[in-house]
Amino acid sequence: MAYKSLLTVMTETKLAESALAQMVALAQAQDGHAEALCLGVDRSQTGYYYAGANALILQETLSRANAEAEEILGFAKDYLGKSGVRWSAENGVAQIADLGRHVAHRARFSDLVVLPRPYGEDRGAEAEPIVEAAMFDGHAPVLVVPDEAQAFSKPGTILIGWNEGVEAMRAIRRALPFLQAAETVRIVVIDPPQHGPDRSDPGGMLSQMLSRHGVRCEIDVLSKTMTRVSDILNRHAADTDADMIVMGAYGHSRFREAILGGATRNMLEQATVPVFMAH
């Protein structure tokens, strides 16, 4: 099993290179196909324009979005054309309110979506909805790459954030190609329940399952010495020189399928290594 269809979604060029580099590295290692969807985003809120101005303003914002899409496409073609991998790139324009539909459609037919971190300076308002759409609507696993991360083709050490939850197990199953390729997989259990079925061997059954797939596992049981679990995982990633963190993506919303929950948001804001998530 490998990630043969790799997708990234680009809405600007300044922060896209880390995700492009990671996608190319994986395509080279797994003989995959790298695809870039280059979108110019129309951020207009047409309902707030005064009467008579709509047509002119809409034309201006549409022209600007088309120009941005062409610029992003040129950047992607130049980058991917020099990479030596099989690739494709296309551009289009999407209104920000309709962005998720376009991303979800492409993500649905991808093995893995590689995206830049959605939080931080110079991020557009569309960065977070793109991650949400790929995971929650496109049902694809997502690898979120921090700006400063070094691209890897084969991870050395991977941390799994394990809490016995359905989301975490789904992410682990989708991450199996990475887990099998890694030198070491560390199953991280934070304050395991004292009365749970695995209280005498936290993480043991998961380790057994993964070992049958050829995964080399270790179990790290940690105390919750910090308020947020994401802080503990990030600190442990630094302490163990991990290349990636695998975790379930948590969401909540009354109005759509899901938006990123607080624990997931905290992790993506602070992580310094790529984070693999699935929902």
Side-chain angles (χ1 to χ4, degrees), residues 118-270:
Y119 307 111
E121 294 182 3
D122 300 323
R123 266 70 175 177
E126 71 278 0
E128 185 180 37
I130 287 173
V131 175
E132 292 170 359
M135 276 195 299
F136 297 130
D137 300 328
H139 304 286
V142 173
L143 185 65
V144 176
V145 184
D147 304 340
E148 65 274 15
Q150 295 295 315
F152 61 82
S153 55
K154 179 182 176 182
T157 299
I158 296 177
L159 297 191
I160 293 176
W162 178 235
N163 63 357
E164 302 183 9
V166 173
E167 292 88 352
M169 181 58 82
R170 186 172 289 116
I172 290 163
R173 288 195 169 106
R174 302 296 288 273
L176 264 177
F178 281 129
L179 301 177
Q180 290 170 321
E183 295 173 10
T184 303
V185 173
R186 309 185 77 93
I187 299 170
V188 181
V189 184
I190 300 171
D191 273 358
Q194 297 181 359
H195 305 290
D198 299 327
R199 60 187 180 278
S200 62
D201 185 20
M205 292 190 69
L206 175 61
S207 175
Q208 181 184 72
M209 185 196 86
L210 291 176
S211 67
R212 291 169 179 164
H213 288 277
V215 179
R216 294 165 287 279
C217 297
E218 296 182 13
I219 300 172
D220 298 338
V221 180
L222 306 180
S223 297
K224 192 177 181 183
T225 56
M226 307 172 79
T227 304
R228 298 190 300 193
V229 168
S230 58
D231 292 335
I232 300 172
L233 284 174
N234 281 318
R235 184 180 64 182
H236 199 56
D239 291 344
T240 58
D241 198 24
D243 299 300
M244 184 197 305
I245 296 171
V246 173
M247 60 176 286
Y250 300 88
H252 57 82
S253 178
R254 296 178 182 178
F255 304 107
R256 48 169 294 177
E257 186 169 346
I259 61 175
L260 294 177
T264 308
R265 179 191 297 266
N266 291 337
M267 173 59 76
L268 296 184
E269 286 176 341
Q270 303 298 328

Side-chain angles (χ1 to χ4, degrees), residues 85-107:
V85 302
R86 294 191 301 277
W87 63 275
S88 59
E90 75 175 84
N91 65 338
V93 172
Q95 282 197 317
I96 192 165
D98 194 39
L99 188 63
R101 180 171 60 88
H102 300 280
V103 173
H105 177 71
R106 290 304 183 88

